[in-house]
Amino acid sequence: MADAALRLTTLAEELLGAPLPVRIRAWDGSESGPPDAPALIIRNRRALRRLLWKPGELGLARAWVAGEIDVEGDLYEALGLLAGLIWERGTDAKDEVHPALDPRMRAAARGLVQIAGPWPPPAPPAEEIRRRHGALHTKRRDRAAISHHYDVGNDFYELVLGPSMVYSCAYWGDADGFTLEDAQRDKLDLICRKLALKEGDRLLDVGCGWGSMAIHAAREYGVRVTGVTLSREQAAYGRKRVAEEGLTDRIELRVQDYRDVRDGPYDAISSIGMAEHVGSVKYREYADDLYALLKPGGRLLNHQIARRPEKDESKYHIDEFIDAYVFPDGELAPLGRTVATLEEAGFEARDVESIREHYALTLRRWVGNLEDHWAEAVRSTSAGRARVWRLYMAASALSFERNKIGVNQILAVKTPEGGASGMPARARVWGG
């Protein structure tokens, strides 16, 4: 008699000490749980073996990427229900259970062994980054991490990001018919205005992506732009766009580490969604390098995702799923720590604008683009990679909505010794 779903539901509820808020549909055709809730589909017992060998987030992620588990119904609702029960049970929830000591965990493991079927454990999906060696954030290791994230095919990113090809939080307006492209254009223009760009200025765009910021600044503000990225695919795509726009005399896109840029001073620097890759051990070096590359009075716009501070910062760890499948070695820092490090390097922080809700809207549009072009996305990369991005972006949208993470634009000035910052007298009156 098919009963795998009921057995799994019973095990989960015993372990969690609460009713399971989603249905479970198992590989044997059985189903258990609230009839109107989203369904967690377990297509293969291999998913359980992954959980036995890698309990927690990484085991679940491997099963998801491999297509062994799926969600039927609203993905956001399912993730919200599961997050509320498993990941958001309080700041100390992760410390409450010790698998080797807790009898519930031991009993659950025995139950899973009985249901999971024969060993050995499955190999990780091909999309998982392999074991890394050496110190964090060396130039070589950073190149490999960036390649893993960005060199998955420009065709795939075109489907997800749309014509703007901007892979960072957009800036949304309230007008009817406001599109993702409108919001990304407004974000780029907001940054240009905060930097007070004007004809003939030199702009350094750190982590230039596919060239969208460089093109907007050169075309709309008449500046000369140097963009640097570690992704060869991004640089090639961006150079083609620059040529099509007729801006090759104003824009140079390089495959170069920001630590190797030596042709300052620049009038302004933009760093949009790049600093998350820098890492805590290198962040002061990042701040020092950008400070040295600016002329006195020059402005830096640092657009960066932030996490909430931990009560004990020594307990912070990189998210296992994101580290293995999305942003290898990526780290998030609290906003206060980022501002402090920039000021320790010599910058004067002049404005911080939180646009957290804007990123939730942006991510939901990206997920919609991916779902609308699913077959094309799978053909352009792989089914596993498309599943990684769908889960990552949907879960991130919920994290921004629930204030688990945020995103901020920090405007900082290399204020000269005399103290004349060149900033307008009223906050948020951007311009020269």
Side-chain angles (χ1 to χ4, degrees):
M1 183 177 181
D3 66 349
L6 179 59
R7 293 171 68 189
L8 290 170
T9 300
T10 302
L11 278 173
E13 291 182 346
E14 287 177 355
L15 179 61
L16 296 170
L20 199 63
V22 298
R23 284 181 295 139
I24 290 183
R25 184 181 302 153
W27 61 90
D28 62 355
S30 62
E31 192 166 325
S32 175
D36 298 327
L40 180 65
I41 302 170
I42 305 175
R43 293 199 172 103
N44 196 295
R45 290 189 296 176
R46 284 193 301 271
L48 306 183
R49 297 202 290 277
R50 294 189 192 279
L51 278 171
L52 284 166
W53 280 83
K54 272 290 181 183
E57 188 171 335
L58 188 56
L60 284 169
R62 287 173 171 172
W64 172 270
V65 176
E68 296 157 2
I69 62 173
D70 206 342
V71 168
E72 181 182 280
D74 189 302
L75 178 60
Y76 295 102
E77 182 183 0
L79 290 174
L81 290 169
L82 291 170
L85 189 65
I86 300 171
W87 294 294
E88 298 175 5
R89 300 174 74 192
T91 56
D92 298 323
K94 288 179 285 188
D95 300 325
E96 291 176 356
V97 175
H98 301 276
L101 303 175
D102 193 281
R104 292 177 303 156
M105 295 292 285
R106 293 201 303 271
R110 287 194 297 269
L112 280 178
V113 167
Q114 293 173 359
I115 305 171
W119 304 93
E127 290 78 11
E128 184 172 316
I129 192 168
R130 296 304 181 238
R131 184 178 297 278
R132 289 152 281 175
H133 301 282
L136 279 170
H137 300 295
T138 62
K139 292 178 183 179
R140 180 176 181 179
R141 184 157 166 168
D142 280 353
R143 281 196 303 272
I146 293 298
S147 178
H148 176 87
H149 186 76
Y150 293 104
D151 293 340
V152 300
N154 291 325
D155 291 345
F156 175 79
Y157 279 107
E158 283 181 335
L159 294 170
V160 174
L161 304 180
S164 66
M165 288 301 283
V166 180
Y167 190 27
S168 55
C169 176
Y171 197 63
W172 293 88
D174 298 325
D176 291 340
F178 206 78
T179 67
L180 176 61
E181 285 65 49
D182 294 332
Q184 292 292 14
R185 178 205 61 224
D186 283 4
K187 187 270 299 296
L188 297 177
D189 204 68
L190 176 67
I191 291 171
C192 290
R193 287 183 284 119
K194 286 183 176 182
L195 290 172
L197 297 180
K198 61 185 183 300
E199 183 86 28
D201 279 351
R202 294 186 73 209
L203 169 68
L204 174 63
D205 188 26
V206 179
C208 64
W210 293 272
S212 299
M213 174 63 186
I215 290 169
H216 185 88
R219 184 182 60 213
E220 304 299 328
Y221 288 84
V223 302
R224 294 170 292 145
V225 187
T226 299
V228 295
T229 176
L230 293 178
S231 168
R232 294 187 180 279
E233 288 193 21
Q234 283 186 333
Y237 187 100
R239 288 165 184 158
K240 183 173 181 293
R241 293 177 71 196
V242 168
E244 290 170 350
E245 290 277 348
L247 294 170
T248 53
D249 60 329
R250 289 184 176 271
I251 299 173
E252 179 189 9
L253 301 184
R254 306 172 183 166
V255 178
Q256 186 178 32
D257 194 293
Y258 73 91
R259 289 166 283 194
D260 294 329
V261 177
R262 294 289 183 268
D263 59 351
Y266 287 87
D267 298 283
I269 298 176
S270 55
S271 178
I272 309 170
M274 177 271 176
E276 298 88 342
H277 294 287
V278 171
S280 58
V281 298
K282 294 291 184 179
Y283 206 90
R284 177 57 190 272
E285 179 181 344
Y286 163 83
D288 287 340
D289 285 349
L290 299 192
Y291 187 84
L293 286 165
L294 271 176
K295 73 172 189 179
R299 298 184 187 182
L300 164 69
L301 192 288
N302 191 79
H303 176 120
Q304 182 177 343
I305 299 171
R307 61 176 171 85
R308 303 295 298 169
E310 300 276 356
K311 288 183 178 178
D312 179 357
E313 279 292 314
S314 68
K315 292 185 176 181
Y316 169 70
H317 65 277
I318 300 170
D319 182 280
E320 284 188 303
F321 165 59
I322 292 177
D323 188 49
Y325 287 98
V326 186
F327 285 105
D329 299 335
E331 295 180 52
L332 301 183
L335 171 62
R337 180 66 248 162
T338 298
V339 172
T341 306
L342 291 172
E343 293 207 313
E344 287 162 7
F347 283 104
E348 180 187 5
R350 294 296 306 229
D351 185 82
V352 176
E353 182 175 4
S354 172
I355 52 175
R356 173 173 62 82
E357 293 87 351
H358 293 254
Y359 217 158
L361 292 171
T362 305
L363 284 156
R364 284 180 176 264
R365 293 296 181 94
W366 289 343
V367 172
N369 286 344
L370 177 58
E371 292 175 341
D372 290 344
H373 300 91
W374 186 259
E376 296 168 81
V378 169
R379 284 195 298 270
S380 68
T381 178
S382 70
R385 182 69 63 191
R387 291 175 66 80
V388 166
W389 253 249
R390 183 171 179 241
L391 178 61
Y392 158 64
M393 293 191 298
S396 295
L398 290 176
S399 292
F400 281 107
E401 288 168 358
R402 296 181 176 200
N403 193 27
K404 302 302 177 184
I405 53 177
V407 61
N408 305 282
Q409 290 189 351
I410 303 169
L411 181 63
V413 179
K414 184 175 181 176
T415 303
E417 288 186 8
S421 68
M423 291 290 298
R426 294 187 179 186
R428 304 277 161 83
V429 181
W430 307 119

